Amino acid sequence: TILDSSPATFTMPHVKCVKTSGAGVRFISPETTINLINASKDKDKPFKLFIMDCRFQFEYEGGHIQSAQHCPFPNSLDELVPFCLGSDQTEGHNIMIIFYCEFSSERAPRMYELLRRKDRKYNQDCYPQLSYPNIYVVEGGYRAFVAQYPSMCSPIAGFVPMNCGGFKLEMIRSLKQLRNERTQQREAKRENHCDDSLFSI
């Protein structure tokens, strides 16, 4: 999980957002993303940066931002981002999470919103505290990033769009799984009588 190698001390850099959506999703440019990648390597200002690729497996394998972790489905997020932080509720404050998908218009923003809702639910007794306050989405998605920084992608300049004809069956299967997991979460929310404003998809 992302807490396994988080530093004990940290200095979080200032982040300039391109825009904030009506749902509160904060977008940063590909240039800012590169700057944060470089800043996260500075030993004098330690913070932990995690980049989450929200595209499907064949897209990810076709090309992704270097060091990006694969997080295509809601259950993937549960596995990668824990909320059992122990007694130190600021443990996740030294962590920055950046999401992206092909255009960052659907899958990545929804993953951002899902993480934020889970965070609000987990910290509902100590609002407005958040376990992971530093989360963002890459404006324009991987398509914009790879066009500007092909050498920062693996493989270099690699890119496979979601609607690529050669992966039609994989796309259909992945879309089905994504919809099924979202449906399961909606049903779990109803069973637990969760507040829609906190936990709806």
Side-chain angles (χ1 to χ4, degrees), residues 40 121 135 167 174 183 192:
S40 69
K121 179 66 177 177
I135 63 175
F167 296 94
S174 297
T183 298
N192 294 325

Side-chain angles (χ1 to χ4, degrees), residues 73-78 110-111 114-115 117-118 178-192 194 199-201:
F73 307 114
N75 289 346
S76 308
L77 186 66
D78 292 338
R110 290 187 71 163
M111 199 70 77
L114 177 59
L115 176 57
R117 287 194 296 271
K118 287 179 176 290
L178 180 61
R179 290 165 181 156
N180 286 342
E181 289 194 16
R182 287 175 175 172
T183 298
Q184 290 169 6
Q185 289 204 340
R186 284 194 295 269
E187 292 174 349
K189 177 200 67 176
R190 287 194 293 268
E191 290 176 1
N192 294 325
C194 293
F199 218 62
S200 61
I201 295 295

Side-chain angles (χ1 to χ4, degrees), residues 31-140:
E31 180 182 7
T32 297
T33 303
I34 284 291
N35 291 338
L36 291 171
I37 291 172
N38 292 331
S40 69
K41 300 175 183 178
D42 186 347
K43 295 181 180 179
D44 294 329
K45 297 180 179 180
F47 72 98
K48 202 69 179 177
L49 175 65
F50 290 90
I51 302 176
M52 302 291 188
D53 188 318
C54 303
R55 299 173 303 152
F56 300 141
Q57 185 72 32
F58 67 90
E59 297 173 89
Y60 178 81
E61 292 177 350
H64 56 269
I65 297 175
Q66 291 177 6
S67 78
Q69 300 193 48
H70 193 213
C71 185
F73 307 114
N75 289 346
S76 308
L77 186 66
D78 292 338
E79 296 170 1
L80 290 169
V81 184
F83 278 95
C84 297
L85 301 180
S87 58
D88 183 4
Q89 294 301 308
T90 65
E91 189 176 356
H93 289 198
N94 60 352
I95 291 173
M96 184 177 294
I97 303 173
I98 300 176
F99 297 97
Y100 71 88
C101 56
E102 183 174 347
F103 296 99
S104 286
S105 60
E106 160 66 18
R107 290 173 288 177
R110 290 187 71 163
M111 199 70 77
Y112 175 113
E113 293 172 13
L114 177 59
L115 176 57
R116 182 63 88 224
R117 287 194 296 271
K118 287 179 176 290
D119 208 342
R120 288 294 185 203
K121 179 66 177 177
Y122 183 79
N123 290 287
Q124 62 183 332
D125 294 332
C126 48
Y127 180 88
Q129 179 175 295
L130 290 167
S131 298
Y132 300 101
N134 304 296
I135 63 175
Y136 305 93
V137 172
V138 180
E139 172 75 356

